[in-house]
């Protein structure tokens, strides 16, 4: 089974960031996951950060494979992720391209020039798009449609994959997302038919599905002083969203897609203290609705069979029991609250224990010969018959776990003062407190009173008890993960 997630624009990149963390926790069904980023601004800070985080994930798995280890039945890091080159509609142009350059305005005949001038103002025709579409979806959709054939890698994969499950994620109140979602949805749907609409999408052995996650207004920013373009003003988000949804309805996007998820919230929340137009400085903090978007993507993949039934509802929204707070029961995961805590919650405990106690112990052992290390740290001698060859692997795992914990901390603080997100007790994440280990999650009481108590219990664990894992590293990670959460 192959899955495709296409993140469009900066919002799409941040939603993929949340989705990958959920994959690391073992919530994704088995199969090959293909991640694509679509952004007219390849230097976008949100995009660059998401790619770096994914490289930490894939680097960890590569280290596992190089060591000859297998994690076994531990849920974490089971998803095989394949990332692909960022696709920009300006890829074959120079950095400072204009709309006139893309459509060869100067070489047009008089009548096409007149039509072009009627459709686009002089400002839009001559604006340089080195930092994306700047809130102009009418410009973005035309450029994406024209340059779509350069996205041939994705089209080739999908058109030859009879079980392709494809979901697009992006905002519809900005530029790249609002432009890319309807345009790409139509063009990808055409690829389902091999470019021929007379070819059936579904048939014997053919079960392709296409879903959308539409991020409606959910964050705010300070409008730039002297900015005359209303598209770059957040006060127009609601109007732009209304117009986009009406356009999607008139274009029968609901007939093209098998599932449409929508997310929005009070967008007075700011995800950045500064306002920039694209580039490396555009770095927005994680927002809790991006976690919801990741969970929606999981719902689309896990419950995909229901979309083969045309009578099934294809529209989905998410809510919460109380306006002022979000708890574990409010997260829309198909497996329910208990499974979510068992996997995502266990990943949180594992990451906290590894970063605060076990990685420092491993570093300490590497500074000693193996015999001395085994005497100093009992569990090290139990799991490692010799010092592992790939010592960088342990640093790579720590780097990813720290990014994961930081994402949790910032995501939980994204709505401070308006919504209390009661998933993790973030005071323990901001200043790691080993004594807070047992109460790290809200509404969950871990048996271990502290990380030290957990390590003492871990001393009794034996490598032989994990026959489904292979190699010293595989058995150690498997054991640490499975024992990090113990609920009576």
């Amino acid at each position: 089974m192959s899955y495709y997630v296409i993140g469009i624009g900066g919002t799409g990149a941040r939603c993929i960031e949340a989705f990958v963390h959920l994959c690391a926790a073992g919530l994704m069904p088995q199969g090959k996951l293909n991640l694509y980023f679509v952004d007219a601004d390849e230097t976008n800070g949100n995009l660059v950060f998401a790619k770096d985080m994914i490289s930490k994930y894939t680097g960890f798995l590569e280290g596992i494979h190089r060591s000859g280890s297998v994690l076994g039945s531990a849920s974490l890091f089971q998803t095989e992720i394949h990332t692909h080159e960022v696709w920009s509609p300006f890829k074959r142009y120079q950095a400072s391209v204009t709309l006139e350059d893309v459509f060869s305005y100067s070489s047009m005949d008089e009548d096409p020039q007149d039509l072009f001038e009627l459709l686009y103002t002089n400002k839009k025709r001559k604006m340089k798009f080195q930092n994306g579409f700047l809130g102009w979806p009418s410009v973005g959709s035309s450029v994406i449609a024209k340059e779509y054939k350069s996205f041939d890698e994705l089209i080739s994969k999908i058109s030859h994959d009879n079980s392709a499950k494809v979901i697009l994620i992006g905002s519809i109140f900005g530029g790249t997302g609002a432009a890319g979602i309807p345009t790409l949805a139509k063009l990808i749907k055409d690829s389902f038919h091999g470019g021929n609409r007379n070819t059936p999408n579904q048939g014997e052995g053919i079960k392709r599905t296409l879903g959308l996650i539409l991020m409606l207004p959910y964050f705010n920013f300070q409008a730039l002083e002297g900015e005359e373009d209303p598209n770059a003003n957040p006060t127009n988000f609601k109007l732009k969203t209304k117009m986009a949804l009406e356009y999607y309805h008139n274009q029968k996007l609901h007939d093209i897609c098998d599932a449409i998820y929508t997310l929005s919230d009070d967008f007075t929340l700011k995800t950045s203290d500064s306002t920039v137009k694209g580039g490396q400085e555009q770095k927005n903090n994680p927002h809790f609705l991006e976690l919801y978007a990741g969970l929606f993507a999981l719902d689309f993949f896990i419950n995909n069979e229901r979309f083969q039934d045309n009578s099934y509802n294809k529209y989905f929204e998410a809510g919460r029991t109380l306006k002022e707070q979000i708890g574990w029961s409010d997260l829309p995961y198909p497996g329910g609250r208990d499974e979510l805590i068992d996997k995502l919650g266990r990943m949180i405990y594992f990451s906290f224990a590894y970063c605060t106690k076990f990685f420092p112990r491993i570093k300490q052992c590497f500074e000693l010969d193996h015999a001395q290390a085994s005497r100093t740290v009992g569990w090290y001698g139990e799991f490692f018959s010799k010092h592992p060859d790939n010592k960088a692997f342990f640093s790579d795992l720590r780097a990813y776990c720290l990014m994961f914990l930081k994402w949790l901390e910032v995501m939980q603080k994204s709505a401070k003062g308006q919504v209390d997100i009661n998933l993790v007790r973030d005071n323990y994440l901001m200043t790691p407190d080993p004594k807070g280990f047992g109460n790290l999650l809200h509404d969950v009481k871990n048996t271990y009173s502290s990380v030290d108590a957990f390590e003492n219990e871990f001393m009794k664990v034996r490598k032989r008890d994990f026959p489904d894992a292979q190699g010293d590293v595989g058995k150690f990670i498997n054991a640490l993960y499975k024992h990090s959460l113990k609920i009576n």
Side-chain angles (χ1 to χ4, degrees):
M1 187 75 70
S2 294
Y3 305 97
Y4 302 81
V5 179
I6 304 172
I8 306 172
T11 296
R14 293 197 303 278
C15 291
I16 283 184
E17 177 188 353
F19 177 69
V20 169
H21 288 316
L22 296 174
C23 290
L27 296 168
M28 180 72 182
Q30 289 187 343
K32 182 186 295 185
L33 173 62
N34 293 278
L35 296 180
Y36 290 87
F37 294 95
V38 173
D39 206 317
D41 178 13
E42 294 185 69
T43 65
N44 184 296
N46 297 304
L47 171 63
V48 172
F49 184 86
K51 289 171 59 183
D52 180 54
M53 181 272 298
I54 294 169
S55 71
K56 297 291 191 298
Y57 179 107
T58 55
F60 167 79
L61 285 183
E62 289 170 1
I64 283 284
H65 296 152
R66 283 196 301 270
S67 71
S69 295
V70 175
L71 293 177
S73 58
S75 297
L76 78 170
F77 295 104
Q78 292 290 349
T79 303
E80 179 187 352
I81 294 180
H82 296 266
T83 55
H84 302 268
E85 186 178 359
V86 177
W87 182 73
S88 166
F90 297 124
K91 186 171 291 291
R92 67 189 187 95
Y93 298 95
Q94 295 181 0
S96 299
V97 66
T98 66
L99 195 62
E100 290 185 350
D101 297 329
V102 173
F103 286 92
S104 303
Y105 171 80
S106 61
S107 61
M108 287 180 180
D109 293 334
E110 184 175 349
D111 288 344
Q113 277 191 348
D114 290 342
L115 177 60
F116 194 69
E117 292 171 4
L118 179 65
L119 292 173
Y120 302 105
T121 64
N122 184 63
K123 180 178 180 179
K124 289 184 179 180
R125 296 197 308 270
K126 297 186 180 300
M127 174 67 72
K128 295 181 179 180
F129 293 103
Q130 66 265 35
N131 292 131
F133 295 121
L134 306 178
W136 291 341
S138 60
V139 173
S141 58
S142 60
V143 175
I144 289 173
K146 181 178 183 298
E147 298 299 318
Y148 181 67
K149 288 185 179 180
S150 67
F151 206 179
D152 53 0
E153 178 192 21
L154 173 65
I155 295 309
S156 177
K157 282 183 175 294
I158 291 177
S159 62
H160 290 89
D161 187 347
N162 290 339
S163 61
K165 315 301 178 191
V166 186
I167 194 157
L168 283 70
I169 310 176
S171 69
I172 64 170
F173 54 92
T176 304
I181 285 176
T183 308
L184 290 172
K186 291 178 183 178
L187 295 169
I188 289 172
K189 190 68 170 183
D190 283 345
S191 75
F192 280 10
H193 302 266
N196 181 358
R197 286 192 174 271
N198 295 320
T199 302
N201 175 36
Q202 307 299 343
E204 186 175 353
I206 302 177
K207 294 183 178 180
R208 303 186 183 104
T209 48
L210 175 64
L212 301 181
I213 298 177
L214 305 180
M215 303 297 287
L216 280 61
Y218 73 101
F219 67 87
N220 200 357
F221 60 84
Q222 181 69 40
L224 292 172
E225 292 186 15
E227 179 59 60
E228 298 177 356
D229 186 358
N231 290 290
N233 193 324
T235 59
N236 293 309
F237 279 175
K238 286 185 177 180
L239 177 60
K240 291 182 66 178
T241 299
K242 180 178 182 294
M243 295 173 63
L245 291 174
E246 288 179 349
Y247 173 76
Y248 294 172
H249 177 75
N250 293 334
Q251 293 297 308
K252 300 187 182 299
L253 208 62
H254 50 282
D255 291 337
I256 293 173
C257 302
D258 299 287
I260 299 177
Y261 301 84
T262 59
L263 284 165
S264 183
D265 203 80
D266 186 340
F267 63 98
T268 60
L269 300 174
K270 293 183 179 180
T271 57
S272 177
D273 294 329
S274 60
T275 302
V276 293
K277 283 189 171 185
Q280 296 180 9
E281 297 303 314
Q282 184 173 333
K283 297 177 182 178
N284 299 79
N285 290 327
H287 189 285
F288 71 89
L289 274 197
E290 292 150 13
L291 169 61
Y292 273 71
L295 291 165
F296 269 166
L298 290 174
D299 178 80
F300 178 73
F301 292 139
I302 292 172
N303 293 320
N304 204 268
E305 290 299 319
R306 68 187 175 190
F307 302 124
Q308 310 302 324
D309 181 1
N310 292 330
S311 65
Y312 196 92
N313 175 42
K314 65 168 64 178
Y315 304 102
F316 303 90
E317 297 175 334
R320 54 186 183 264
T321 305
L322 300 174
K323 181 180 180 180
E324 297 81 11
Q325 67 182 48
I326 294 172
W328 286 98
S329 299
D330 295 308
L331 299 182
Y333 176 63
R337 174 185 181 277
D338 290 346
E339 183 180 344
L340 187 62
I341 289 176
D342 182 59
K343 291 184 177 178
L344 182 58
R346 191 180 298 273
M347 178 71 180
I348 294 168
Y349 274 108
F350 167 85
S351 299
F352 190 88
Y354 182 78
C355 291
T356 59
K357 175 63 69 173
F358 287 82
F359 176 74
R361 284 276 200 257
I362 290 171
K363 281 188 66 178
Q364 175 189 0
C365 289
F366 285 165
E367 295 173 357
L368 308 172
D369 63 58
H370 185 266
Q372 187 177 1
S374 299
R375 290 192 299 270
T376 304
V377 181
W379 56 259
Y380 184 84
E382 170 63 30
F383 281 93
F384 298 97
S385 55
K386 63 177 183 177
H387 285 329
D389 295 330
N390 184 16
K391 295 180 180 179
F393 159 86
F394 295 96
S395 297
D396 291 341
L397 175 58
R398 177 178 178 270
Y400 178 83
C401 289
L402 286 175
M403 295 179 84
F404 170 64
L405 293 173
K406 184 64 177 178
W407 169 77
L408 277 170
E409 175 197 332
V410 178
M411 181 269 295
Q412 285 215 154
K413 293 192 296 183
S414 65
K416 279 293 185 190
Q418 297 189 37
V419 181
D420 292 328
I421 303 177
N422 298 324
L423 304 177
V424 182
R425 299 184 191 278
D426 53 8
N427 55 306
Y428 294 138
L429 292 180
M430 288 184 281
T431 305
D433 181 2
K435 295 180 180 179
F437 187 68
N439 293 314
L440 194 56
L441 302 187
H442 282 276
D443 303 323
V444 176
K445 181 66 175 179
N446 198 339
T447 301
Y448 309 115
S449 60
S450 66
V451 175
D452 293 335
F454 172 44
E455 185 186 27
N456 290 336
E457 188 71 19
F458 194 73
M459 291 285 191
K460 305 173 186 177
V461 178
R462 294 293 172 259
K463 182 166 64 173
R464 63 175 178 271
D465 295 334
F466 300 89
D468 58 333
Q470 297 178 18
D472 291 353
V473 171
K475 290 182 181 293
F476 168 69
I477 298 297
N478 189 302
L480 185 62
Y481 171 79
K482 288 185 175 180
H483 282 78
S484 60
L485 175 58
K486 186 178 179 182
I487 304 174
N488 288 334

